[in-house]
């Protein structure tokens, strides 16, 4: 696989760099983490700027190399990350692009790209996380609508979302993987209650969502009725395979900042710490290569990353935790100060080996679907 860039791609890089250098200084500061409406407006505003400058579709349409250059340059320049646009841009949108009808693509994709609508993900339930196919939120047909009742948990950005990629059980008598349907739920429909959950890191990152006889048009179904598990595999392969790619560059930036801080505060004199930072440097370089491979492999297989994303997700989530543990070592007792830049990130890094599927589950997927080992259970 050739991972080098062509002159045209390097030209794209130069143009993007120049645009970022011109645009970023004029941006207002990002609202505080607990100002959800402010963060929504800010994240959508950034997406709008990308749209107007012609960069909004880079996550979806561009060649793998152009997509990677975009991620690399925006992160290196310290541009805002996708934020509240995470689900829409990085996995609901790509799922609709791959599995939706023309009418669904026309309805949902442009507002995501133009920075007009935020999506969230309603997959997990109180007793259906790792065993996602055990979900119990029911949906039954009533004319041109599904009527949905049940509850979801850990729904990131639910408070500010316009739409939710929702999994429901439409075939209660079918084997559990075969009775699931993927729906686009409008978050302003009557019967939805969103209750924020606070976390160790502070502000409410996610919420419980209660659904009480919520009507969802049948036209909002992506894929066939009871074929939602197959569509879900597409969503999860985007979520695990490519959605975190930009964050690898961000981690490399943090690592460089840690080396600077260690030199300043004298911790650099400790050879064990230097070795630790060096190992992390090698790990994140390898992860960036894996990102390149995943994005290119997805392209080669029709745009969907597949089970290989689990390898990336597993390694990345542990490397991220190691990075912030090293940050605590560099900071010493200051690592308890929530105003230090790395402290909230360290607290939230703990969740990375759980969100988007736990490490144990990624191990099983790699064993069964990539290595072809027999099923453990
Ligand atoms: C920060 C964060 C954001 C999230 N955002 C969203 C979101 O926006 N939308 C959404 O739908 N969900 C979201 N989630 C939920 C996430 O997907 C689930 O927490 C995750 O899938 C684990 O499920 P669970 O919490 O029910 O744990 P459980 O499934 O109860 O697992 C508990 C423990 O048992 C282990 N275990 C379970 N089954 C097996 C098995 N078969 N083999 C080996 N070990 C096993 C697990 O690895 C884990 O250690 C988020 C979670 C976090 C932490």
């Amino acid at each position: 696989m050739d991972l080098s860039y062509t002159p045209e791609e390097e030209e794209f890089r130069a143009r993007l760099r120049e645009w970022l250098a011109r645009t970023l200084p004029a941006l207002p500061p990002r609202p505080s983490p607990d100002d959800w409406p402010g963060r929504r407006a800010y994240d959508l505003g950034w997406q709008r700027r990308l749209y107007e400058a012609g960069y909004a579709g880079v996550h979806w349409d561009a060649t793998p190399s152009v997509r990677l250059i975009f991620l690399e340059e925006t992160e290196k320049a310290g541009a805002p990350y996708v934020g509240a646009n995470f689900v829409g841009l990085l996995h609901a949108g790509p799922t609709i692009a791959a599995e939706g009808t023309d009418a669904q693509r026309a309805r949902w994709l442009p507002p995501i790209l133009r920075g007009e609508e935020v999506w969230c993900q309603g997959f997990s339930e109180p007793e259906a996380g790792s065993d996602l196919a055990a979900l119990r939120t029911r949906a039954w047909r009533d004319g041109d609508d599904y009527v949905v009742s049940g509850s979801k948990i850990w729904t990131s950005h639910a408070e500010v979302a316009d739409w939710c990629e929702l999994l429901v059980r439409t075939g209660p008598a079918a084997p559990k993987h075969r009775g699931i349907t993927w729906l686009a739920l409008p978050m302003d429909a009557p019967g939805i209650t969103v209750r924020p959950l606070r976390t160790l890191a502070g502000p409410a990152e996610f919420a419980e969502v209660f659904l009480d006889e919520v009507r969802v048009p049948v036209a909002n179904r992506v894929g066939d009725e009871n074929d939602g598990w197959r569509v879900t595999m597409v969503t999860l392969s985007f979520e695990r395979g490519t959605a975190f790619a930009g964050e690898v560059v961000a981690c490399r930036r943090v690592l460089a900042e840690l080396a600077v801080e260690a030199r300043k505060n004298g911790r650099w004199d400790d050879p064990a710490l230097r070795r630790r930072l060096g190992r992390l440097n090698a790990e994140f370089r390898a992860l960036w290569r894996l990102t390149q491979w995943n994005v290119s492999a997805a392209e080669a297989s029709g745009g969907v990353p597949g089970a290989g994303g689990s390898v990336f997700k597993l390694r990345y989530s542990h490397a991220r935790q190691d990075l912030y543990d090293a940050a605590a070592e560099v900071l010493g007792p200051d690592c308890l100060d929530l105003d230090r830049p790395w402290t909230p990130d360290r607290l939230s890094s703990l969740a990375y080996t759980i969100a988007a599927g736990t490490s144990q589950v990624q191990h099983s997927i790699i064993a069964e679907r990539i290595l072809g080992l027999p099923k453990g259970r």
Side-chain angles (χ1 to χ4, degrees):
M1 186 176 294
D2 182 9
L3 298 174
S4 57
Y5 298 116
T6 64
E8 293 75 35
E9 287 162 352
E10 289 299 352
E11 206 179 296
F12 169 82
R13 185 195 296 279
R15 255 185 297 125
L16 175 60
R17 257 189 208 167
E18 189 270 326
W19 181 78
L20 287 166
R22 230 172 343 107
T23 309
L24 293 180
L27 281 189
R30 193 157 200 256
S32 75
D34 46 4
D35 173 8
W36 269 102
R39 281 172 66 181
R40 174 190 151 100
Y42 183 89
D43 295 339
L44 287 176
W46 172 243
Q47 182 58 26
R48 236 175 342 262
R49 278 174 194 255
L50 289 174
Y51 178 80
E52 281 158 12
Y55 293 116
V58 172
H59 291 293
W60 297 349
D61 301 331
T63 63
S65 302
V66 164
R67 218 177 319 167
L68 291 165
I69 289 173
F70 175 80
L71 290 175
E72 206 166 17
E73 292 303 322
T74 47
E75 270 301 334
K76 268 192 196 157
Y81 191 51
V82 284
N85 295 314
F86 188 89
V87 171
L89 268 179
L90 301 181
H91 51 88
T95 302
I96 292 164
E99 295 291 332
T101 61
D102 287 345
Q104 290 173 336
R105 288 190 201 105
R107 166 60 191 89
W108 287 311
L109 301 189
I112 294 175
L113 291 177
R114 288 196 297 256
E116 291 165 358
E117 288 180 347
V118 167
W119 282 67
C120 64
Q121 181 190 56
F123 283 13
S124 304
E125 297 182 7
E127 285 174 57
S130 302
D131 188 9
L132 183 57
L135 63 93
R136 288 188 303 200
T137 292
R138 282 279 325 275
W140 59 97
R141 284 286 283 268
D142 183 23
D144 290 338
D145 291 335
Y146 286 106
V147 182
V148 181
S149 279
S151 69
K152 297 287 169 176
I153 198 164
W154 315 129
T155 317
S156 307
H157 304 122
E159 268 186 282
V160 293
D162 304 287
W163 291 94
C164 175
E165 51 177 17
L166 183 76
L167 295 185
V168 292
R169 182 159 302 285
T170 37
K176 66 179 184 180
H177 292 86
R178 302 225 184 98
I180 292 171
T181 298
W182 199 110
L183 296 178
L185 167 78
M187 289 297 283
D188 60 357
I192 302 180
T193 307
V194 175
R195 196 182 295 156
L197 295 166
R198 282 189 78 75
T199 70
L200 184 68
E205 152 90 27
F206 35 40
E208 291 174 284
V209 177
F210 299 94
L211 303 149
D212 183 14
E213 304 212 340
V214 180
R215 298 190 82 87
V216 182
V218 173
N220 288 20
R221 189 185 71 215
V222 174
D224 289 338
E225 184 169 299
N226 295 333
D227 190 31
W229 188 250
R230 189 188 56 76
V231 184
T232 304
M233 290 303 105
V234 173
T235 309
L236 291 181
S237 77
F238 282 116
E239 186 175 4
R240 293 165 184 167
T242 49
F244 295 112
E247 294 183 35
V248 173
V249 189
C251 286
R252 287 178 67 180
R253 196 177 66 218
V254 170
L255 189 59
E257 289 166 3
L258 283 181
V260 172
E261 175 72 20
R263 282 195 175 90
K264 252 197 317 201
N265 72 10
R267 298 286 293 118
W268 192 251
D269 295 337
D270 176 356
L273 178 75
R274 286 204 306 272
R275 262 199 307 279
R276 186 171 186 184
L277 296 182
R279 261 201 311 275
L280 277 165
N281 189 29
E283 178 79 22
F284 281 108
R285 277 172 179 276
L287 277 166
W288 183 245
R289 284 294 179 200
L290 196 54
T291 301
Q292 290 179 307
W293 187 85
N294 267 345
V295 173
S296 307
E299 207 69 17
S301 64
V304 179
S310 288
V311 178
F312 172 80
K313 201 275 170 180
L314 181 67
R315 292 302 301 233
Y316 166 67
S317 53
H318 286 275
R320 190 182 171 103
Q321 286 178 352
D322 290 348
L323 172 71
Y324 286 105
D325 275 352
E329 203 179 325
V330 169
L331 288 175
D334 280 357
C335 77
L336 298 174
D337 178 354
L338 270 173
D339 291 330
R340 295 295 299 229
W342 298 303
T343 309
D345 284 332
R346 180 173 184 231
L347 293 175
S348 64
S349 78
L350 298 174
Y352 272 70
T353 48
I354 302 171
T358 65
S359 294
Q360 291 89 337
V361 166
Q362 307 309 322
H363 276 294
S364 294
I365 292 171
I366 294 165
E368 290 161 18
R369 291 177 46 203
I370 300 180
L371 301 176
L373 298 174
K375 272 190 183 297
R377 331 164 6 128

